[in-house]
Amino acid sequence: MVEARVTVNGKEAPISPVAPHTTVLDFLRERGLTGTKEGCAEGECGACAVLVARPGVDMPTDWVAVNACLVPVAALDGQEIVTSEGLATAGRPDEHGTPPRLHPVQEEMAVRGGSQCGYCTPGFICSMAAEYYRPDRCAHADAEAHPDAEAHADTEAHAHAEAHPNTHTSAADAASAPLGTRSADPEHGPNGFDLHALSGNLCRCTGYRPIRDAAFAVGTPTADDVLAQRREQAPPAPVATAYAQGDSVFLRPATLAEALHELRERPEAVVVAGSTDWGVEVNIRSRRAGCVIAVDRLPELRDLRVESDRIEIGAAVTLTEIERHLDGRVPLLAELFPQFASRLIRNSATLGGNLGTGSPIGDTPPVLLALEASVVLAAPDGEREVPLADYFTGYRQSVRRPGELIRSVRIPLPLSPVVAFHKIAKRRFDDISSVAVAFALDIEDGIVRKARVGLGGVAATPIRALATEAALEGRPWSAGTVEDAARVLRAQGTPMDDHRASAAYRSAMLGQSLMKTYAQTTTEAVSS
């Protein structure tokens, strides 16, 4: 095996001699790149965000923001990282030795007051840079691109002054500050910037307004932007890795067959993809493993196909990649994605990982249950397909046998046309569900022909609400039917009292979720 190395801000660096469990965060800080901060060590604050070159959706390479506190640096063997320090003209002085100028994102954050204490700022910068370089972001906020922008700014400044006589707004301020109001969707700027890109970044000081202003003010990358140019080239190919220090080893097999062989030889090994779950165990609970096997770059687990009778999603395709490849093709998944953790987490998390942990409060199982999905399990002697409704057998337990890996998830077609996903949590984003409910309904001539309901957070495993489905099927989609079925739904599962919610609250939310779905669908039917 070649020595494990990673490229940081354009320069190669050996990973050795750090321990295999060492995170990208700790590796960078030990090298003096202290812009990468540790805030929560759980992937919730975003202070540790860095950019990684990954296979692109619309271009050969995408710059993807990830939580450096969760990813083992050995998992990035052969890969490219850019930190906040490397963003300023890729960290290189020009031919005259002039120090690198600020990156456009850094510049906007500085001039618009997007940083106060500054602790979280580098993480915001990296998340914003990933969105800045997103190829399909439609940037058109520059005055050069819109010659009438200055006149428009004057008009808006005058209107702002009349509406707020005690404030002062210059034409220059108006050209940027009202950007968030020019779009019907306040979370998307007219420059195409999606504020959901920052959903995993926390700031205690600014109140977020100047950060939003900075996000909505950035333009498009210039022709000489080396990081923009880098997108035109293929990302680093995955490399087979066997990195060992002491009694611990990190393995990245080259093929699924090799991974299954290693897993048979090392049944105690921990299998990781995005490390969004295992990274927390390492940081918060000080868990260590004698062997970690990474499957996130296995080509056999990275396929996504839409066929005539099904959609097949590889277990190692990240949630962000699924979202962008499907582009709304599965409406129930499209409802789930914005509510699943944060963009930073979705950039690493996978369906295989979410199902593999067997957590009863994972957000994808209720949706996949409602979609009647199945999982394909791979073993050295072949594959088998298991309906997801039969997959979970107990708390964090499943039918997956020792030595098996989840290869893919299959969603049958056609899809039910009436869908809804309700996540009940204490925060709008980046939180764990108290209850998660997914509905997929076929309603023809006012009659519920088929109902599938997936539940999370109300039992030791994610479950199908079979009694509720039976209470809906064959009956009119009416207030009376829904009230009867809601009573049944409240009694489904075995909810418990814990620090997130009481059992009574969880039961109440089950029934309420069905009532809400009915109200939404009937309103839509009337309005259409």
Side-chain angles (χ1 to χ4, degrees):
M1 289 285 182
V2 178
E3 180 186 30
R5 305 180 70 84
V6 63
T7 298
V8 181
N9 297 334
K11 297 180 180 179
E12 273 199 354
I15 292 174
S16 179
V18 302
H21 69 266
T22 302
T23 63
V24 173
L25 166 70
D26 289 337
F27 175 80
L28 293 174
R29 291 187 63 81
E30 288 171 6
R31 296 183 61 81
L33 296 169
T34 53
T36 309
K37 305 289 203 310
E38 179 179 296
C40 65
E42 296 182 282
E44 291 191 358
C45 73
C48 65
V50 298
L51 297 178
V52 178
R54 290 270 175 83
V57 175
D58 299 299
M59 298 185 75
T61 291
D62 279 348
W63 287 112
V64 176
V66 302
N67 292 109
C69 73
L70 298 178
V71 182
V73 67
L76 297 184
D77 178 22
Q79 304 298 297
E80 296 177 32
I81 303 171
V82 173
T83 70
S84 58
E85 294 92 341
L87 281 172
T89 57
R92 302 169 188 165
D94 63 21
E95 65 274 13
H96 305 295
T98 304
R101 64 183 184 273
L102 289 178
H103 186 275
V105 169
Q106 295 170 324
E107 179 79 23
E108 294 296 347
M109 283 283 278
V111 301
R112 296 176 197 282
S115 175
Q116 289 189 15
C117 84
Y119 190 90
C120 64
T121 305
F124 270 99
I125 292 294
C126 286
S127 291
M128 292 172 72
E131 180 67 5
Y132 177 76
Y133 289 116
R134 179 165 60 86
D136 59 344
R137 181 180 67 87
C138 51
H140 57 270
D142 299 89
E144 290 184 2
H146 289 270
D148 61 339
E150 187 174 346
H152 181 69
D154 287 331
T155 301
E156 290 195 328
H158 180 70
H160 180 88
E162 288 188 340
H164 304 278
N166 295 324
T167 62
H168 172 73
T169 306
S170 68
D173 289 335
S176 59
L179 287 176
T181 65
R182 295 185 198 173
S183 171
D185 180 358
E187 292 178 346
H188 291 78
N191 62 350
F193 196 102
D194 182 359
L195 284 183
H196 287 279
L198 306 180
S199 62
N201 294 86
L202 297 180
C203 175
R204 303 295 185 190
C205 302
T206 64
Y208 292 97
R209 173 59 189 267
I211 296 173
R212 189 197 71 173
D213 290 347
F216 288 173
V218 294
T220 54
T222 58
D224 61 349
D225 187 319
V226 295
L227 294 179
Q229 295 169 0
R230 175 66 185 82
R231 299 174 303 174
E232 304 285 352
Q233 307 301 319
V239 297
T241 301
Y243 179 71
Q245 290 289 330
D247 297 329
S248 299
V249 60
F250 182 97
L251 300 176
R252 181 188 300 286
T255 66
L256 177 59
E258 291 180 17
L260 293 171
H261 171 77
E262 291 290 353
L263 196 56
R264 182 174 56 188
E265 296 297 315
R266 306 169 186 264
E268 78 291 346
V270 172
V271 178
V272 301
S275 292
T276 56
D277 187 73
W278 176 246
V280 176
E281 295 290 316
V282 170
N283 292 338
I284 304 301
R285 297 182 176 87
S286 298
R287 292 276 304 278
R288 300 291 183 264
C291 177
V292 171
I293 299 177
V295 299
D296 57 312
R297 310 316 294 173
L298 292 179
E300 299 92 336
L301 274 60
R302 296 272 306 150
D303 196 20
L304 193 159
R305 301 192 308 275
V306 179
E307 301 176 354
S308 61
D309 61 340
R310 71 189 183 199
I311 297 172
E312 183 137 0
I313 303 172
V317 183
T318 70
L319 299 189
T320 290
E321 290 171 330
I322 298 170
E323 179 183 9
R324 291 181 176 164
H325 277 294
L326 291 180
D327 193 23
R329 175 69 177 76
V330 183
L332 194 49
L333 285 176
E335 287 197 27
L336 160 71
F337 288 136
Q339 301 180 67
F340 188 107
S342 66
R343 176 62 70 194
L344 282 167
I345 292 295
R346 295 197 297 276
N347 285 343
S348 295
T350 64
L351 288 183
N354 209 226
L355 297 177
T357 63
S359 171
I361 52 176
D363 284 340
T364 65
V367 168
L368 294 174
L369 285 167
L371 291 170
E372 299 184 278
S374 60
V375 293
V376 178
L377 301 174
D381 57 351
E383 295 182 351
R384 61 188 179 116
E385 184 176 355
V386 178
L388 189 61
D390 300 329
Y391 175 77
F392 301 103
T393 60
Y395 179 72
R396 291 189 178 270
Q397 296 177 340
S398 72
V399 300
R400 187 160 52 91
R401 300 164 185 157
E404 282 187 320
L405 287 175
I406 301 174
R407 184 181 67 77
S408 66
V409 173
R410 287 177 178 164
I411 299 172
L413 297 175
L415 302 170
S416 295
V418 178
V419 298
F421 176 68
H422 302 297
K423 174 174 178 172
I424 293 89
K426 293 184 177 181
R427 293 198 304 260
R428 184 183 179 198
F429 298 119
D430 206 7
D431 201 5
I432 294 173
S433 296
S434 298
V435 179
V437 189
F439 298 96
L441 309 171
D442 286 355
I443 303 173
E444 298 176 5
D445 300 323
I447 304 298
V448 181
R449 304 300 180 186
K450 185 174 80 169
R452 295 294 180 265
V453 184
L455 307 180
V458 295
T461 69
I463 61 172
R464 276 261 303 274
L466 299 176
T468 303
E469 295 172 3
L472 288 168
E473 290 181 344
R475 298 189 62 190
W477 183 238
S478 65
T481 297
V482 169
E483 288 173 5
D484 291 343
R487 282 193 290 271
V488 176
L489 185 53
R490 292 186 190 101
Q492 299 264 250
T494 54
M496 60 184 290
D497 295 317
D498 64 15
H499 64 284
R500 291 192 184 93
S502 67
Y505 178 79
R506 287 187 164 100
S507 294
M509 289 301 100
L510 291 179
Q512 192 65 24
S513 66
L514 181 55
M515 303 288 284
K516 181 177 181 178
T517 298
Y518 175 71
Q520 290 174 329
T521 57
T522 52
T523 300
E524 290 169 2
V526 170
S527 63
S528 62

